[in-house]
Amino acid sequence: MGLSKTIWTNPTEYLRNQHPENPVLFFAPQAVQAVARKFLQGFPGLVTYAVKSNPGEEVIENLIAAGIKGFDCASPFEIDLIRRLAPDAAIHYHNPVRSRAEIAHAVKREVKSWSVDSHSELAKLIEMVPVEGCEISVRFKLPVGGAAYNFGAKFGATAEDAVDLLKTVAAAGYIPSLTFHPGTQCTDPAAWASYIREAAVIAANAGVKIKRLNVGGGFPNHRVEGVLPQLTDTFMTIGDVAKEAFGADVPALVCEPGRALCGDAFTLASKVKAVRDDSHVFLNDGLYGSLFELGQIGIIDRIEVISDEGTKREGETLPRICFGPTCDSVDRLPGDVPFPSDIAEGDYVIWHGMGAYSTVTNSRFNGFGELGLVTVLNQAV
Ligand SMILES: *Cc1c(COP(=O)(O)O)cnc(C)c1O
């Protein structure tokens, strides 16, 4: 997937001129820069980008241009990518389980911030990571809701374990910090408040003054028509609750958004291959392609449909069953998808807010999955 050289005005202009057979993602550099500036101005601490959500170089370069100076990486590949594109950036290696070869690679690449959620993984770090100037953040979890799915199911120590881990980190001479992730697409600011209060309790019980508190990613992106994410409220809650919970010992704050930074950077156009018997819509993209995440966290209903000539379909909304192009029956979007009633073969379905967990989880299963990537000035249809 290479970025096209031509810059088009908007998706419609491209579609009615080029009539692409493969799905196309439209990249708007202004969109990613605007949201980066919103985070930099509003978040009361360091903003780092979770590379996994979209590691496209065009995304990372525009984040750097907007002023992002830190990156959350989960693998040697991501670490090397950031070292190449932003040699001086801070890299936080926040995948709490790593092989020894991965640890050695990151040490060689001068990674100075690590996260951990278990005694056995901490023992590996103590054995292999030089103490000098290195920070280890203990990742903990809480049974709180508010997110699209719960990250605590895989990672995060219990509060009790976190106390012991934090003591061990400090005793070994590393800079002690705490971190959590409230779960992706978290629309409830109260989730951050609960975690921050618990962090203060963990630090107090460990008798350790933490240097930084990383409040994770999970900041929501605009997925549902009419429900705009309240980023500014969340930033204020985070700053206020940290001051209140830690008092004089308030740590520096860090966040690591993925989805919220890149979600609106891309709009997807998928083509209608068939409308079968007026009930099933078959697209050229689906759960094995760039719509993979819809199977996990539900439909994005910011959908518009245009004809091959670029005219907007205005029929009343009629939910349909929607299939992807592969021969696997799993390749069906969840629930019913709200398409206009006059959707027809050859039309393009435009999905807004498709920058996160889309290009990067796209597969070539069944010979599909070739994506076009086109730069546009704006994403309005
Ligand atoms: C995935 C991940 C993120 C980014 O999550 P979003 O929901 O995309 O903001 C941040 N931090 C860690 C440790 C992650 O695993």
Side-chain angles (χ1 to χ4, degrees), residues 2-347:
L3 198 58
S4 69
K5 292 286 176 247
T6 316
I7 297 177
W8 297 79
T9 308
N10 59 23
T12 307
E13 185 195 32
Y14 178 86
L15 295 169
R16 68 164 191 260
N17 282 289
Q18 300 294 311
H19 314 289
E21 277 300 314
N22 291 323
V24 176
L25 279 145
F26 295 96
F27 173 57
Q30 290 93 325
V32 72
Q33 293 213 23
V35 71
R37 282 193 294 271
K38 189 166 185 177
F39 265 88
L40 290 166
Q41 284 159 15
F43 182 79
L46 177 69
V47 181
T48 66
Y49 173 57
V51 175
K52 78 163 188 273
S53 57
N54 189 325
E57 297 194 11
E58 66 288 346
V59 174
I60 290 164
E61 280 164 357
N62 277 280
L63 289 172
I64 294 167
I68 298 288
K69 294 186 168 56
F71 295 86
D72 162 38
C73 295
S75 61
F77 176 90
E78 291 181 358
I79 291 169
D80 291 350
L81 174 71
I82 296 306
R83 276 285 175 261
R84 175 164 60 79
L85 296 177
D88 301 326
I91 293 181
H92 297 175
Y93 193 175
H94 279 184
N95 182 342
V97 178
R98 315 163 184 86
S99 71
R100 284 169 203 275
E102 288 168 340
I103 296 171
H105 185 93
V107 168
K108 213 163 65 196
R109 294 302 220 147
E110 299 195 15
V111 168
K112 300 286 188 197
S113 290
W114 308 70
S115 72
V116 79
D117 68 352
S118 67
H119 295 281
S120 48
E121 292 303 300
L122 177 56
K124 278 191 201 165
L125 293 185
I126 290 175
E127 190 187 314
M128 299 185 67
V129 177
V131 168
E132 190 58 40
C134 269
E135 170 187 46
I136 298 183
S137 301
V138 174
R139 177 156 166 190
F140 68 99
K141 66 176 170 193
L142 283 180
V144 296
Y149 58 82
N150 181 7
F151 273 37
K154 183 166 181 186
F155 292 131
T158 61
E160 211 177 1
D161 268 348
V163 171
D164 285 342
L165 289 164
L166 193 61
K167 281 186 196 163
T168 310
V169 166
Y174 296 98
I175 297 165
S177 291
L178 283 170
T179 186
F180 61 83
H181 191 304
T184 202
Q185 188 68 17
C186 182
T187 47
D188 184 4
W192 277 275
S194 311
Y195 267 99
I196 293 167
R197 292 202 176 95
E198 187 64 24
V201 172
I202 292 168
N205 287 347
V208 171
K209 183 174 170 184
I210 59 168
K211 171 132 187 245
R212 299 204 284 188
L213 175 62
N214 187 322
V215 301
F219 299 89
N221 187 233
H222 186 190
R223 288 183 67 85
V224 181
E225 191 71 51
V227 185
L228 274 169
Q230 302 302 316
L231 283 182
T232 311
D233 286 357
T234 306
F235 296 156
M236 275 172 46
T237 300
I238 289 170
D240 291 348
V241 175
K243 275 191 211 131
E244 175 203 311
F246 284 89
D249 288 342
V250 66
L253 296 174
V254 185
C255 66
E256 48 189 18
R259 174 191 308 285
L261 281 176
C262 66
D264 269 330
F266 290 86
T267 294
L268 167 72
S270 52
K271 187 166 183 166
V272 178
K273 297 176 68 169
V275 180
R276 197 171 63 177
D277 298 339
D278 205 25
S279 60
H280 297 159
V281 174
F282 280 71
L283 299 179
N284 65 352
D285 201 355
L287 291 192
Y288 290 98
S290 58
L291 295 166
F292 163 79
E293 210 206 16
L294 272 52
Q296 326 281 311
I297 78 170
I299 292 291
I300 293 181
D301 74 352
R302 294 170 62 202
I303 298 173
E304 293 174 89
V305 178
I306 61 168
S307 74
D308 190 49
E309 291 86 45
T311 339
K312 197 165 167 212
R313 296 289 185 200
E314 305 275 13
E316 68 184 88
T317 302
L318 179 65
R320 313 269 189 129
I321 292 171
C322 182
F323 292 105
T326 72
C327 286
D328 188 333
S329 53
V330 166
D331 193 5
R332 177 194 157 176
L333 297 184
D336 292 334
V337 185
F339 291 128
S341 55
D342 47 349
I343 190 171
E345 179 185 341
D347 285 358

Side-chain angles (χ1 to χ4, degrees), residues 340-362:
S341 55
D342 47 349
I343 190 171
E345 179 185 341
D347 285 358
Y348 290 99
V349 178
I350 319 259
W351 309 75
H352 294 285
M354 284 297 300
Y357 309 108
S358 52
T359 58
V360 71
T361 43
N362 175 61

